[in-house]
Amino acid sequence: MKTLAAQVITPEDLLKHWQGHRNLTRHTIEAFPEKDFFEFSIGGMRPFAQLISELLAIAVPGLKGIVNREVEPFSEKATEKLIFKAQYLEKWDEATAEINKYWEKLSIEDFNETFNLFGQYEFPVNQNILYFIDNEVHHRGQGYVYLRALGIQPPFFWER
């Protein structure tokens, strides 16, 4: 039986918050020079393209799994053939639309249901979604460090 717990933020506001972060991450991708997007690294961290591949492999596949109650293993195969930054931006925009599509299928009760994300992370849906956002913010922060090291002003973090 599904239950409804106390609500602090509406699903609509949570989606708006997440999409605001996604918009800022998109601007961060745009700020990278083509070559550096794929190659620049500091301290053994992955290049930004690899970080974006991870984010693309989490957001829609994770949300789709939650909505359809299908546990699929984590995979970055969808971005293996991307070789241009523009292709990543196109995938990012497609994912943004897909997130909106799947979000509409969530009921308020779904957010408190437990789901085994990628067969590895068994938490309530709301915590899985917060993980999607937190992970994106974390990797965007790495991108900001790269941009500053390249002498490029990153987008202002509040301009979502």
Side-chain angles (χ1 to χ4, degrees):
M1 179 175 172
K2 292 185 177 186
T3 59
L4 183 60
Q7 184 176 326
V8 176
I9 185 171
T10 66
E12 296 79 18
D13 285 342
L14 182 56
L15 176 61
K16 182 179 177 183
H17 179 78
W18 185 11
Q19 291 292 23
H21 279 291
R22 289 184 58 77
N23 186 50
L24 184 54
T25 300
R26 188 186 199 290
H27 292 309
T28 306
I29 296 168
E30 291 172 327
F32 271 84
E34 184 80 20
K35 182 177 184 288
D36 294 321
F37 179 69
F38 292 96
E39 297 178 8
F40 191 79
S41 173
I42 296 175
M45 294 189 297
R46 295 173 286 168
F48 202 54
Q50 288 181 15
L51 301 177
I52 297 303
S53 289
E54 177 186 315
L55 297 177
L56 287 167
I58 288 173
V60 172
L63 191 56
K64 180 180 178 184
I66 289 167
V67 167
N68 295 328
R69 298 294 190 256
E70 296 173 350
V71 177
E72 298 287 337
F74 177 80
S75 173
E76 293 183 24
K77 288 192 184 290
T79 58
E80 283 180 351
K81 295 182 181 179
L82 303 182
I83 59 171
F84 298 108
K85 186 174 74 169
Q87 292 172 307
Y88 276 85
L89 289 167
E90 184 177 333
K91 283 281 187 201
W92 194 261
D93 293 342
E94 289 170 6
T96 297
E98 288 285 296
I99 288 167
N100 290 336
K101 180 181 98 175
Y102 285 108
W103 195 268
E104 291 177 8
K105 297 178 182 185
L106 288 172
S107 71
I108 189 74
E109 293 84 8
D110 288 333
F111 287 89
N112 293 308
E113 294 295 311
T114 299
F115 181 74
N116 191 0
L117 184 67
F118 303 119
Q120 299 177 28
Y121 311 104
E122 189 143 354
F123 297 106
V125 168
N126 61 358
Q127 290 181 24
N128 283 321
I129 292 168
L130 291 172
Y131 164 75
F132 299 164
I133 298 167
D134 291 346
N135 192 47
E136 181 175 333
V137 171
H138 163 71
H139 287 316
R140 188 175 61 240
Q142 289 173 281
Y144 274 40
V145 169
Y146 291 172
L147 289 172
R148 289 201 182 276
L150 291 166
I152 299 168
Q153 171 70 44
F156 295 116
F157 75 91
W158 60 84
E159 291 183 353
R160 294 191 233 160

